[in-house]
Amino acid sequence: MPVTDSAIEKIKAMIVSGELRPGSRLPKEADLAERLGLSRNSLREAVKALSLIRVLDVRQGDGTYVTSLEPNLLLDALGFVVDFHQDNSVLEFLEVRRILEPAAAAMAARVMPDAEISALGELLESLSDDASLQELIDNDLEFHRRIAAGSGNTVLCSLVDGLSGPTARARIWRGLTEEGAVDRTRQQHRAILDAIAHRRPDLAHAWATVHVAGVEQWLRDTLGAAGSSLG
């Protein structure tokens, strides 16, 4: 195992064991390096790597601390990784969304507070009939983010939020090229909201599946047609 990887594993073990807890300050560099049997340079590289994925927080002039380790903080790194996706992987992101978002909608139908459901309705109503495609996409992203948050599961919310970006371009493309796509999106949003408002997890799950699967199937058909025309 490379030295830096070994250093990362040793610091991780201290956190997992509870020796270093969220918010704890790491021992001084020299002391920690000696204790873990590492060079100070290897320790610095490990700290740098762990700070990039939000496990550690390096505060200049103060020291290095373990972060809160909250899921939304740690899964922030997912957004960084997702930014490197290639266009041919968008279908895979949609497949994962088709698994996660119906589950989030079903959970929201059980536990989402009434006030948040009302706010979700206001979000949909705020979209004017002559809204631009970009306004529709922004509204769509916020709609799905709020439902994921309404599930009460912070990990699920962070995952849905991180996976939404790569599929936004596909939704814009569909809105520009497929007749009726915008109206259908708005109708499906309303159906998902109504299912959540009426506390129908099964119906919320079904409509969310239809909603995401529609974009996925359209993209499959479009890419297939493009491939055939090139063949």
Side-chain angles (χ1 to χ4, degrees):
M1 182 183 292
V3 177
T4 301
D5 288 351
S6 176
I8 289 172
E9 285 299 318
K10 289 179 178 180
I11 296 173
K12 176 184 169 184
M14 293 177 71
I15 296 172
V16 171
S17 70
E19 183 176 353
L20 288 175
R21 296 186 175 278
S24 298
R25 181 177 177 174
L26 268 64
K28 291 181 179 179
E29 183 183 270
D31 296 339
L32 186 58
E34 181 179 359
R35 176 180 166 186
L36 297 179
L38 301 167
S39 70
R40 293 177 70 169
N41 187 56
S42 295
L43 180 60
R44 287 192 198 107
E45 290 300 315
V47 168
K48 187 184 299 182
L50 289 169
S51 66
L52 285 173
I53 59 172
R54 307 294 188 88
V55 172
L56 297 179
D57 178 21
V58 180
R59 305 175 189 174
Q60 294 298 327
D62 187 14
T64 299
Y65 292 79
V66 179
T67 66
S68 66
L69 302 179
E70 290 291 328
N72 62 327
L73 184 67
L74 298 181
L75 288 172
D76 232 16
L78 175 65
F80 181 79
V81 174
V82 161
D83 285 340
F84 288 103
H85 81 282
Q86 301 298 309
D87 284 346
N88 58 7
S89 68
V90 172
L91 277 172
E92 294 183 0
F93 283 106
L94 281 166
E95 287 173 347
V96 176
R97 282 189 60 208
R98 179 163 45 82
I99 295 168
L100 297 180
E101 294 204 25
M107 293 168 69
R110 295 187 184 95
V111 303
M112 193 172 186
D114 290 340
E116 292 181 17
I117 295 175
S118 296
L120 194 60
E122 292 171 4
L123 176 69
L124 294 186
E125 293 300 328
S126 70
L127 199 64
S128 63
D129 291 336
D130 60 350
S132 67
L133 186 58
Q134 187 57 57
E135 287 173 329
L136 180 76
I137 297 300
D138 290 343
N139 191 275
D140 179 83
L141 289 170
E142 180 64 12
F143 178 76
H144 289 284
R145 189 197 67 76
R146 291 194 189 186
I147 290 175
S151 73
N153 187 307
T154 56
V155 174
L156 181 57
C157 181
S158 297
L159 286 172
V160 169
D161 200 33
L163 291 168
S164 293
T167 60
R169 192 190 308 176
R171 281 174 278 178
I172 292 172
W173 186 14
R174 184 192 189 200
L176 289 171
T177 60
E178 185 183 31
E179 185 177 352
V182 171
D183 287 340
R184 191 155 49 250
T185 293
R186 299 183 78 161
Q187 291 168 5
Q188 290 171 357
H189 280 179
R190 173 55 62 182
I192 294 169
L193 172 62
D194 287 347
I196 292 173
H198 287 92
R199 304 300 183 185
R200 290 287 306 278
D202 54 342
L203 202 55
H205 189 284
W207 271 115
T209 301
V210 167
H211 182 53
V212 179
V215 181
E216 180 188 347
Q217 188 58 52
W218 170 84
L219 186 58
R220 285 187 189 282
D221 293 343
T222 302
L223 293 177
S228 298
S229 67
L230 293 173

